[in-house]
Amino acid sequence: MLKNLYLACTLFVPLCTHAAPISDSLEISSQQVEKTIDSIRKAQKYETGLIHLPGGKAEIKIPAGFKFLNKEQSKYVLTTLWGNPESNAANTLGMIFPEKSDPFSDSSYAFVVEYEDIGYVKDDDAEKINYDEMLKSLQKDEKEENAQRLKEGYPAIHLVGWAQAPFYDKENKVLHWAKEIHFGDQDGINTLNYQIRILGRHGILSLNAVCTMQELPLVKADIGKVLHMATFTDGNAYTDFDPKIDNVAAWTIGGLVAGKVLAKVGFFAIIVKFLAAGWKFILLGFAALAGFIRKLFRRNKEEKALAGDTTVGGTPNEETIPPVEETGSSL
């Protein structure tokens, strides 16, 4: 599929211009993509220090060596840049990046910060869970789940094993684990899905990182700091639970870990971002080509108008093709 998208990008401009060779068109598109990336990077505003997360239930302290992207900009990254559906970014509160990284960095990672209002999660089962048995059970269930994924047009997901065995810090109410995942039946770099859950009075604060297994040493080197960045505000902590008025979640510690390998199918787009060579061209190349073609159609229309021909039949409505320059304007 990705190869087909790439081929379509390289061939589309020559067909419209009736003259430019593929190599020239690809160069034009690449320049537009780089221009778009540069524009977006300049528009992004990162924060450090104490961040009060939307909703007022939690806050996050970003130390030296990291930077934080706010809710609106993070949703832009997840949906527009990385191709996830809007619904999958509904709970997003921000993103944490290493200081020298950004959404366009290939050999790095990013944690997506979310809040899920699922209620108070009891941790009574934490010390009773056999995670080796859980792993075997999850792998056994793959066949049925993958059959459904294939019907929906997504590749199979194979849980290779724990990249980091689940661990629950009972004192700080922090659960974290990591899965090594392989997509499809082709050879390639396996994916690292590192998940952190911080338990609160009314729900959980989630920090999810998706990158390749090659980035595991980077994540492990930083995970100690990431685990302690976020806390709940007064009145919203786990210890503030009031059984008389608060809701108890249907989930348990084991249930959080045993949830679907990747609960959100849309996060496959994040996987593509980290695994697909030329992903920037794939996701942004169409925008660049659209801007180029929009200018082409506008010029043709103006030429026809000057010639006294106001008909534009057989060409797309130029208003339906957004200009490249607008790509970063919503940040």
Side-chain angles (χ1 to χ4, degrees):
M1 175 180 170
L2 296 177
K3 291 182 179 178
N4 291 338
L5 287 174
Y6 186 87
L7 182 60
C9 288
T10 61
L11 293 178
F12 198 37
V13 169
L15 290 175
C16 292
T17 59
H18 303 288
I22 292 178
S23 58
D24 291 346
S25 301
L26 181 56
E27 179 63 26
I28 292 172
S29 301
S30 298
Q31 290 175 359
Q32 289 282 13
V33 169
E34 291 304 320
K35 180 180 178 181
T36 301
I37 290 174
D38 184 61
S39 175
I40 294 172
R41 278 177 166 155
K42 289 179 179 178
Q44 288 172 333
K45 306 299 180 184
Y46 293 93
E47 301 174 73
T48 57
L50 183 62
I51 309 296
H52 299 286
L53 296 174
K57 292 183 178 180
E59 57 190 21
I60 191 164
K61 189 173 183 180
I62 306 299
F66 298 88
K67 56 187 180 183
F68 181 81
L69 200 61
N70 68 20
K71 177 180 179 178
E72 290 72 22
Q73 294 180 95
S74 294
K75 286 187 174 183
Y76 176 84
V77 169
L78 293 173
T79 57
T80 303
L81 300 186
W82 290 2
N84 290 276
E86 293 281 348
S87 59
N88 283 8
N91 297 325
T92 300
L93 301 180
M95 296 179 73
I96 301 169
F97 291 88
E99 185 178 22
K100 297 181 180 180
S101 177
D102 65 28
F104 299 100
S105 300
D106 292 320
S107 299
S108 187
Y109 67 87
F111 275 93
V112 180
V113 182
E114 298 182 310
Y115 177 75
E116 298 179 65
D117 191 11
I118 63 174
Y120 176 85
V121 178
K122 290 186 175 182
D123 61 357
D124 303 344
D125 66 327
E127 298 177 355
K128 306 172 184 177
I129 304 170
N130 186 324
Y131 289 111
D132 290 334
E133 290 299 320
M134 179 186 290
L135 177 62
K136 293 178 182 178
S137 178
L138 291 172
Q139 292 171 329
K140 184 178 179 180
D141 294 339
E142 277 184 4
K143 185 175 181 180
E144 182 178 346
E145 294 176 0
N146 282 332
Q148 183 61 36
R149 288 191 183 96
L150 292 172
K151 287 182 180 179
E152 296 173 354
Y154 293 95
I157 296 178
H158 304 292
L159 176 55
V160 178
W162 302 122
Q164 170 64 54
F167 178 79
Y168 178 59
D169 182 344
K170 194 173 182 67
E171 180 179 353
N172 294 304
K173 307 302 178 184
V174 178
L175 170 68
H176 65 104
W177 72 97
K179 297 170 181 174
E180 180 178 356
I181 300 168
H182 183 77
F183 280 83
D185 298 320
Q186 299 180 350
D187 295 333
I189 301 173
N190 287 345
T191 298
L192 173 67
N193 180 215
Y194 209 115
Q195 304 193 49
I196 300 171
R197 301 289 183 270
I198 305 170
L199 278 58
R201 176 181 179 180
H202 303 292
I204 57 175
L205 197 62
S206 300
L207 281 71
N208 302 314
V210 180
C211 51
T212 72
M213 285 298 296
Q214 291 181 339
E215 278 70 65
L216 180 58
L218 295 177
V219 177
K220 282 191 171 183
D222 293 339
I223 196 63
K225 296 179 181 178
V226 176
L227 287 172
H228 298 96
M229 285 186 187
T231 57
F232 284 95
T233 55
D234 291 342
N236 294 296
Y238 195 81
T239 53
D240 295 319
F241 174 70
D242 186 342
K244 297 180 180 179
I245 59 175
D246 294 334
N247 296 322
V248 176
W251 297 84
T252 61
I253 296 297
L256 292 176
V257 179
K260 292 183 179 180
V261 176
L262 285 180
K264 299 180 178 181
V265 177
F267 269 91
F268 173 64
I270 297 181
I271 305 296
V272 170
K273 183 267 177 186
F274 281 100
L275 296 186
W279 70 271
K280 298 168 191 174
F281 188 92
I282 294 168
L283 293 182
L284 297 179
F286 284 114
L289 288 173
F292 179 82
I293 296 167
R294 187 176 193 271
K295 294 176 181 178
L296 175 66
F297 286 137
R298 180 188 292 129
R299 184 171 68 247
N300 289 342
K301 183 178 179 180
E302 291 173 351
E303 290 174 353
K304 289 182 179 180
L306 290 174
D309 182 1
T310 58
T311 62
V312 290
T315 62
N317 182 346
E318 63 174 312
E319 297 303 321
T320 65
I321 306 177
V324 179
E325 289 75 15
E326 295 178 3
T327 305
S329 61
S330 61
L331 293 179

